[in-house]
Amino acid sequence: MNILIISPFRVYPTDCGFSTRVYNLTKQLSYSNSVFLVYTDYYKKYPNPHDYNFLPNVRKYNFRVSNKFMQLLNPYLILKAVSIIKKERINIVIAEGIWAGPHAIILSFLTRVPYCFTEHNVEHVRWRRMGMKYPDLLKIFEKYCCKFSKKIFCMSNNDRQQINELGIDINKLTIVPNGIDTLQFRPRSSKKYEIAKKFDLDIESPIILFSGKLSYTPNLQAIQIIYEKIIDPVLENIPNVKFVIVGANPPLQFRHKAMIFTGFVENIEEYINASDLVIAPLISGGGTKLKIIEAIACGKTVLTTSIGAEGLVDESTQDFLKIIDDWNDFINFIVDFLRNPIINNLPRTFIEKYSWRSIGETISKEISMY
């Protein structure tokens, strides 16, 4: 098959859940298909060009734009994509997220090539939770992006139901979850010593990990909750505990003696494996959280909220995923767990469901009819 993938954002380096998903599934599809990737790069945010050698099996076309509107609607991208579709006889277009929707709709109209649509989040729900402007207008926009697509890939059954409530035929909606690289994310106990040495920590000090793109509002809110509600009560019970916060753009206004901001790291799996407990005290946002799947893949218990756990509660995660919305109970769980840690074996069903390989096979099967 010949596949054109449209991303409104850069795909590499994989520094957030969006880019990680697009990168890995593009990689999987390129093993058995001819894949062409068209994407934009907002150079005011990313002034330095990245390494264009990523995804060697994929033909890549990057459009560096000067404003965010050009990521949503770029005439140069449309002209190039039309040329690719005609020259390469593209069978299907995959639009990554609703911000790729206008390009996909226009290309489908101009070329009669169908498009599938990936809902990384149900965006109008996420916007409403985050208190952003005009979620109802976004809801209309999202509805029409979905309406004209042949197939919609969503992250979980929760997302599937929310999209169905827009009036979208349930038969168009296929659950294709976020996943993990099973070779990269696996239990490795030796990393505790390496990370403790790197930050001059006592090897006996428990490490609690939170990770994410820290400029993103839900993650910034989580850091504030850790700083204001969690860290001091935990320290009263376990004085040598350390909170390691991994991610770009650390909010240093929340600096604390027991908190270590690492900034962006290349190998997040090393920090996950060094931790004793992973937490995600999220109160907004949407979609399934890639960082939680990655932590479970490393055999770690993850303590989160109902919002953090959305779409991830099933038999393969139930022994690792702890859901608490009351902050006092959240704190008590941390203290009890660090005093009496529980180690579970990762079930085979988790790997079968969340490996990028199996997820890529699901998408290939779904688009093979076009």
Side-chain angles (χ1 to χ4, degrees), residues 193-254:
Y193 173 79
E194 294 178 19
I195 297 301
K197 183 178 180 180
K198 181 175 182 177
F199 291 98
D200 196 27
L201 302 178
D202 186 332
I203 192 65
E204 300 299 324
S205 294
I207 292 176
I208 298 174
L209 178 74
F210 176 81
S211 66
K213 195 171 185 178
L214 303 182
S215 57
Y216 179 50
T217 298
N219 290 334
L220 187 60
Q221 291 171 336
I223 297 297
Q224 186 171 359
I225 288 167
I226 292 171
Y227 179 81
E228 294 180 351
K229 299 180 181 295
I230 296 174
I231 193 166
D232 286 330
V234 172
L235 278 170
E236 288 176 6
N237 291 276
I238 305 178
N240 62 337
V241 70
K242 298 296 181 182
F243 287 74
V244 175
I245 313 299
V246 177
N249 304 303
L252 298 180
Q253 68 269 31
F254 301 124

Side-chain angles (χ1 to χ4, degrees), residues 351-365:
I351 300 299
E352 291 171 352
K353 180 175 181 178
Y354 291 107
S355 73
W356 287 123
R357 179 179 176 181
S358 63
I359 294 169
E361 289 173 353
T362 299
I363 290 185
S364 292
K365 182 179 179 182

Side-chain angles (χ1 to χ4, degrees), residues 330-345:
F330 201 96
I331 292 162
N332 290 336
F333 180 91
I334 292 174
V335 173
D336 291 342
F337 184 87
L338 293 182
R339 286 174 174 168
N340 301 285
I342 300 171
I343 300 174
N344 293 304
N345 293 321

Side-chain angles (χ1 to χ4, degrees), residues 8 40 67-74 98-103 141:
T40 60
N67 64 73
K68 292 183 178 180
F69 179 77
M70 292 287 281
Q71 294 179 291
L72 183 67
L73 190 61
N74 189 321
I98 67 169
W99 310 116
H103 288 132
F141 174 66

Side-chain angles (χ1 to χ4, degrees), residues 62 66 95-96 119 131 159-160 188 203 213 227 244 252 272 282 290 318 320:
N62 178 22
S66 58
E96 294 293 346
E119 277 274 41
D159 289 1
R160 187 170 185 254
R188 286 183 286 180
I203 192 65
K213 195 171 185 178
Y227 179 81
V244 175
L252 298 180
I272 295 171
L282 299 165
L290 189 61
Q318 63 183 1
F320 299 86

